[in-house]
Amino acid sequence: MDQPSLFPVICQEPPEPIHVPISRWLLTVYSRDILSRLDHIKASITSTFGSILKMDSTKKITKKLAGHGRGTALWLTSISNEVGQVLTSVLTVQEGPGLDRMVSGVMERYRQACVTAPVLLYVDCGCCVSEGESKLQTRFAQWPDIHIRLDIWHFMRRLAVGCTTDAHPLYTTFMGCLSACIFEWDAGDLSLLRQAKREQLRQEGVPALTDLLVDRRITKKELSQYCRRRTRGEEGTISLIEQLLQTLEGPKGRDLMGVPLLEQVRMEHIWRVQKRHVKCIQDVPGVQLYTVTGTTTTKGGVVLTRYRCARGSTSLESFHCHLNRFIPGTSANALNFQLYLLEGLNRWNQDRGTAVVTSKPSSLLTYAGDVVQCLVLESCLVLTTC
C-alpha cells in the first residue's frame, strides 16, 4: 500500500488448501476412540442404581439400524432411575418375552452389588390384571415388594382418545381439569409461594393485590419448581373424573359452533375400561417422591425451596427423544449403532448426575473417564504438595 499508485500492487500467493478429512475418516476415528474406552463406559453404566425405576420402550431408534442388522430389532427398551440416569437399554425383537433377560440382568446386578431392591416401578402398560399376577409382577419375581404403577401421563392420554380431536378449543381445558382431578397441591408449599408472589408484586408496585390476581401471576413453572403434589386417592379421583365427564357431555362441552369435545359412546367405553387403573396411578404411601435440589430462591424476601419429582416416566421419554441425536445421520451398521448408543447413554448419565448436585453445567469439557480421573489425581497431588 506504500507504493505509488502507478505501479501494480504485488500480493503474496495464497497457500495451498489444507486437505480436509472426509466424514468417513472422522467417524472411524471417533469409533476407535469409543472402543478404547469401552470397558470404562460399560463399567460406568452397569454401576448405576436407583430406588425408583421407570421402564419404557420405543420403535423410533431401530429405524436407523442398517446393514446386516436391519430388521433384527424392532424395539429399544430402557430402564432409568429417579434422577433420569439409564441403568440399561437393550434392543429386542418383541416387547414381551424379549425383556426377560434384561430384567434378570438388572436384578442380578442389584444382588451382586448388595444394593437394596427398588421400591417403585413406573410403566406405560401391563401394570395390573383383574385376577392373579401380571406379567410384570412375574418378571420381577425376585423383587416381591416392588410396587408397579402406571405412568399418569399415559393414563391421561388414554382418556384423551375419547375426544373428537385434540384441536378442539376445550381440549387443553379438559386435560388441565383431568390433571386437577388426579393431583392436589401441597397446602403449605402453595401458601408459601403465594406469600412470596404477593410480596414480589408489592415490591414491583402492583396496586390492588387480591388473591385472584396473585394466583394468576403464579406461573406453571413456579408451581412445578416450588410446590409438591400428591394424588387424591382412588375414590376421590374416580368421583371427580366422573363429574368432569358428565359436565363436558352437556352443553358446556361444546364450542361456539356446537361441536362436542367428547365422543360420548367412545368415552363411556374408555372410562369403563380405564376405571380400574385409577388404583394404579396413586402414590405409594411412605415412598418419598420429592427431593430437595440443594438450591433455594428468594422471592419478595421469602425463601423458596426447589424440589425435583421422581414420579412418572417423563425423564425416560426425554431420553428416548434424544436417542436419534446420539446416532448421527440416517443409518448406521450394527457395530457403529451400538458404539454410538453406548457413548450417548454414558454422556446422558453423566449429565444427569451433574444436574443432581448443581444447576450449573459441568466445567469439564470431556466425557472420557480416564482423563477425568487423571485430572482429579493431579489436582489432589498439587493440593497435597501445597
Side-chain angles (χ1 to χ4, degrees), residues 184-197:
E184 62 179 353
W185 295 103
D186 183 89
D189 296 340
L190 187 58
S191 176
L192 190 63
L193 178 59
R194 283 172 173 168
Q195 179 184 351
K197 179 60 68 173

Side-chain angles (χ1 to χ4, degrees), residues 303-366:
V303 179
L304 299 175
T305 304
R306 288 176 177 265
Y307 295 100
R308 178 184 292 106
C309 183
R311 183 189 292 111
S313 57
T314 306
S315 59
L316 196 54
E317 295 281 349
S318 179
F319 168 72
H320 284 164
C321 289
H322 285 78
L323 279 179
N324 285 331
R325 300 180 183 179
F326 292 167
I327 301 177
T330 58
S331 62
N333 59 31
L335 176 61
N336 291 334
F337 188 94
Q338 295 183 65
L339 290 178
Y340 298 146
L341 186 59
L342 283 173
E343 173 69 3
L345 199 155
N346 183 47
R347 294 189 177 195
W348 174 272
N349 284 354
Q350 290 192 38
D351 291 340
R352 302 288 78 73
T354 302
V356 173
V357 297
T358 178
S359 58
K360 299 179 180 180
S362 176
S363 59
L364 297 174
L365 300 180
T366 178

Side-chain angles (χ1 to χ4, degrees), residues 179-185 230-237 240 282:
S179 177
C181 294
I182 300 173
F183 294 109
E184 62 179 353
W185 295 103
R230 56 176 174 265
T231 52
R232 295 180 178 272
E234 183 179 1
E235 295 182 359
T237 302
L240 290 175
Q282 303 301 317

Side-chain angles (χ1 to χ4, degrees), residues 30 267 314:
Y30 180 57
M267 179 59 80
T314 306

Side-chain angles (χ1 to χ4, degrees), residues 29-183:
V29 173
Y30 180 57
S31 300
R32 291 183 178 180
D33 175 65
I34 298 176
L35 286 172
S36 66
R37 298 182 288 108
L38 193 58
D39 291 338
H40 181 273
I41 293 175
K42 291 164 64 176
S44 176
I45 296 174
T46 54
S47 299
T48 305
F49 299 92
S51 59
I52 300 177
L53 303 184
K54 300 95 179 282
M55 186 168 67
D56 190 28
S57 302
T58 181
K59 298 180 70 175
K60 298 178 181 178
I61 192 66
T62 56
K63 297 178 181 179
K64 287 192 173 184
L65 189 57
H68 296 290
R70 179 183 294 275
T72 58
L74 299 178
W75 290 93
L76 186 139
T77 304
S78 305
I79 297 179
S80 68
N81 59 13
E82 59 270 18
V83 298
Q85 293 176 317
V86 179
L87 279 67
T88 183
S89 188
V90 299
L91 293 166
T92 57
V93 178
Q94 53 184 345
E95 198 177 7
L99 303 179
D100 292 339
R101 291 182 60 187
M102 179 194 70
V103 173
S104 300
V106 172
M107 291 188 293
E108 181 65 17
R109 183 197 305 181
Y110 273 75
R111 188 191 66 80
Q112 291 182 359
C114 298
V115 177
T116 305
V119 297
L120 188 58
L121 172 67
Y122 283 102
V123 295
D124 59 352
C125 62
C127 52
C128 65
V129 292
S130 56
E131 295 181 359
E133 291 187 346
S134 64
K135 294 181 180 179
L136 282 176
Q137 291 173 332
T138 305
R139 192 167 290 145
F140 288 92
Q142 296 183 24
W143 293 340
D145 297 330
I146 190 172
H147 299 275
I148 300 177
R149 289 292 184 265
L150 176 65
D151 178 58
I152 296 179
W153 174 246
H154 284 87
F155 173 79
M156 294 173 61
R157 290 295 302 168
R158 293 179 183 181
L159 294 181
V161 176
C163 297
T164 54
T165 174
D166 56 1
H168 196 280
L170 295 176
Y171 179 82
T172 304
T173 304
F174 168 70
M175 297 299 289
C177 293
L178 187 59
S179 177
C181 294
I182 300 173
F183 294 109

